[in-house]
Amino acid sequence: MKGLEIAFQLNNERDFDVVPALANLTGNYFKNEEKMDITWRIFHVTLGDQKYFRVLYRGDKINDFHPEIKKKIREYFDKLAHLNFEQLMELYNKSKESNGFNIINIKEITEEYDLWQDKLWNYI
């Protein structure tokens, strides 16, 4: 696998507010503050009866990250995930106003079970 995949489910009617906030705040932090060549995509995946979100981060030039960078991205994402809804949205709305803040929208995809290969990386 190239890059970093974070897959998760939320049990909240505000999923479509929370997920872009988490993904975009994390991606922009590493792009703008850590000066990394990073891109990301956000997917709402339907797999059989299951629905969940996947956020994929990858390097612009090298595609994959050093394991320490993967750890830092996961930790930052997790830190944001522990904020309450109001704190997260306040930070997101404030951050969206800054120069260079990229907003990636959620893309809906449907997958079928394939035990041999994860084809999600083909979409990006």
Side-chain angles (χ1 to χ4, degrees), residues 1-110:
M1 177 175 87
K2 294 184 181 199
L4 172 65
E5 173 185 323
I6 300 174
F8 57 97
Q9 288 180 306
L10 296 175
N11 297 322
N12 189 322
E13 67 276 359
R14 300 181 198 172
D15 292 358
F16 287 87
D17 294 325
V18 171
V19 173
L22 291 171
N24 289 323
L25 283 167
T26 300
N28 279 287
Y29 173 79
F30 285 93
K31 180 178 182 269
N32 298 325
E33 302 299 320
E34 297 287 326
K35 305 297 184 208
M36 287 177 46
D37 289 324
I38 187 171
T39 59
W40 61 99
R41 299 289 179 266
I42 310 166
F43 297 98
H44 186 230
V45 182
T46 301
L47 178 61
D49 295 339
Q50 304 271 329
K51 287 189 180 259
Y52 63 96
F53 292 94
R54 278 192 188 173
V55 182
L56 306 176
Y57 295 99
R58 67 180 184 170
D60 248 354
K61 295 186 175 106
I62 59 169
N63 288 331
D64 206 0
F65 298 118
H66 185 277
E68 259 321 292
I69 298 297
K70 287 182 179 182
K71 180 181 175 199
K72 282 183 169 184
I73 293 170
R74 280 190 200 100
E75 287 173 349
Y76 190 83
F77 190 95
D78 190 51
K79 178 181 137 186
L80 292 173
H82 283 87
L83 296 175
N84 68 40
F85 179 78
E86 289 76 21
Q87 291 171 320
L88 179 65
M89 295 315 295
E90 181 180 335
L91 178 61
Y92 186 49
N93 290 327
K94 181 180 175 188
S95 297
K96 286 193 298 188
E97 297 172 6
S98 62
N99 282 341
F101 192 89
N102 291 341
I103 297 174
I104 305 298
N105 294 314
I106 297 172
K107 182 177 180 181
E108 295 280 343
I109 61 171
T110 301

